[in-house]
Amino acid sequence: MTLTAAVAGASGYAGGEVLRLLAAHPDIEVTTVTAAASAGSRLGDVQPQIPSLAELVVTGTTPEALAGHDLVVLALPHGHSAEVGDALAAAGDGAVIADCAADHRLVREQDWEDYYGGAFTPPWTYGMPELLHAGEGAARAQRAELAATGRIAVPGCNVTAVTLALQPAVAAGLVDTTHICATLAVGYSGAGRAAKPHLLASQALGNIAPYAVGGSHRHIPEVVQNLQVAGAGEVGLTFIPVLVPTSRGILATVVAPLTEGVDQEAVDAAYGVYEGESLVDVTGPGAWPTTAPVTGTGRALVRATVDDRAGTLVALCAIDNLGKGTAAAAVQSANLALGLPECTAVPMIGVAP
């Protein structure tokens, strides 16, 4: 039986990528697309890269327009997402709802107040199947939660890169989590599709620009939350995102002090937790993760190495911010919640050059 899906925020980058993946899904048919400014337009006029869905008409985003589907994906700004998602959830029509905004990610109300502000909404099941949990069954626990839920909070893209880079070392107790430094090279699509002066090509091309430096980036509490799920106690995180002149991709470089006696053999053993993961590949010695091979996919490339001279672990992760960082995570998690094979319609083959 074919399931039906609605996508809210269909005119944005995240919404467009969700639609691109769902258009190739053998078990799901997109029947409704909604947005604000583009309401009344053909989808083909705002997302011309998806010809199979071109004749769908974009409607306004209301709970009524999104009701009656098996899957609803919300690609809306935070705040608006909670309003729509909570109304849908309260209606109780049985849909799986995947929220790509931040509204339902954070467990602690104080974190929301500190980094976002406004009304706090309770967390939904976190949409990272590979999230490690401290203790027995670490590698499967999040999948079990997703398979039993109808409410999914899709992770932040930067959060995904940092979490996948460092969580095996945290779970194995290999690093001091009170002094973590994460520097991320981030493609411009992570800033969304809205026109802003600093996102113009004339400003971006030939320029490398840090932003949200000094502990102000909204993804910080989410990373801390994930590492604590993996077994960390206190977490001190310096987080430095840097815009680089590429449209898609994140390369996260995460550095943390090693605990005493840790060597490369111990690190390699810890990262063996990713063996068998369809979407996370640990690269070989000297083969550092890069973004090009994962562009357009739901895959992540990870590598961790010991810096003996500095006494630190250097862990890297490359993802497509719109792929594994957003849309692919939404589809992957929704598949689990719908009882479908996890990687259905999640692209694994990149584009080159």
Side-chain angles (χ1 to χ4, degrees):
M1 181 180 68
T2 301
L3 305 174
T4 62
V7 176
S11 61
Y13 287 143
E17 189 72 352
V18 169
L19 288 166
R20 184 177 76 89
L21 303 192
L22 290 181
H25 201 300
D27 301 306
I28 295 175
E29 179 185 2
V30 177
T31 56
T32 300
V33 290
T34 76
S38 59
S41 304
R42 293 170 60 255
L43 183 65
D45 294 333
V46 292
Q47 301 288 6
Q49 74 277 18
I50 317 171
S52 62
L53 302 179
E55 297 307 317
L56 288 176
V57 176
V58 181
T59 62
T61 300
T62 65
E64 293 75 21
L66 299 171
H69 299 82
D70 299 295
L71 170 65
V72 177
V73 181
L74 305 176
L76 301 169
H78 78 268
H80 188 199
S81 182
E83 179 184 346
V84 174
D86 290 348
L88 281 171
D93 68 355
V96 169
I97 307 171
D99 184 4
C100 295
D103 296 56
H104 297 97
R105 296 174 190 163
L106 296 181
V107 172
R108 292 179 286 269
E109 185 172 355
Q110 188 62 52
D111 286 340
W112 181 265
E113 183 177 332
D114 289 344
Y115 285 86
Y116 290 90
F120 174 75
T121 51
W124 288 356
T125 305
Y126 197 67
M128 184 187 293
E130 302 87 356
L131 181 65
L132 299 181
H133 288 229
E136 190 174 350
R140 301 297 306 180
Q142 197 65 25
R143 286 185 169 89
E145 292 187 10
L146 285 164
T149 193
R151 307 288 178 262
I152 300 164
V154 180
C157 54
N158 295 310
V159 179
T160 296
V162 176
T163 301
L164 292 178
L166 195 61
Q167 65 172 353
V170 171
L174 304 185
V175 294
D176 175 3
T177 60
T178 64
H179 292 88
I180 299 169
C181 181
T183 304
L184 296 88
V186 183
Y188 271 77
S189 60
R193 198 169 184 173
K196 300 174 184 177
H198 75 285
L199 303 180
L200 296 172
S202 58
Q203 299 293 322
L205 297 178
N207 192 28
I208 299 173
Y211 66 101
V213 179
S216 61
H217 197 286
R218 289 171 166 175
H219 286 173
I220 289 174
E222 192 180 340
V223 174
V224 171
Q225 180 174 288
N226 287 353
L227 296 182
Q228 289 177 333
V229 170
E234 181 183 354
V235 176
L237 174 63
T238 300
F239 190 91
I240 310 166
V242 182
L243 286 170
V244 296
T246 184
S247 61
R248 302 167 70 127
I250 296 173
L251 178 64
T253 302
V254 188
V255 180
L258 291 166
T259 54
E260 188 174 352
V262 174
D263 59 13
Q264 188 64 51
E265 183 177 358
V267 169
D268 291 343
Y271 281 75
V273 73
Y274 287 140
E275 290 180 7
E277 288 289 355
S278 298
L279 299 174
V280 181
D281 294 325
V282 178
T283 63
W288 307 115
T290 62
T291 59
V294 297
T295 298
T297 79
R299 295 171 54 227
L301 299 179
V302 174
R303 179 69 186 164
T305 190
V306 169
D307 184 336
D308 287 315
R309 292 181 176 85
T312 58
L313 180 77
V314 181
L316 296 95
C317 178
I319 63 170
D320 183 329
N321 57 293
L322 294 176
K324 182 58 176 165
T326 307
V331 173
Q332 180 187 4
S333 297
N335 282 334
L336 288 167
L338 291 166
L340 302 172
E342 180 178 333
C343 294
T344 306
V346 177
M348 299 186 189
I349 300 173
V351 178

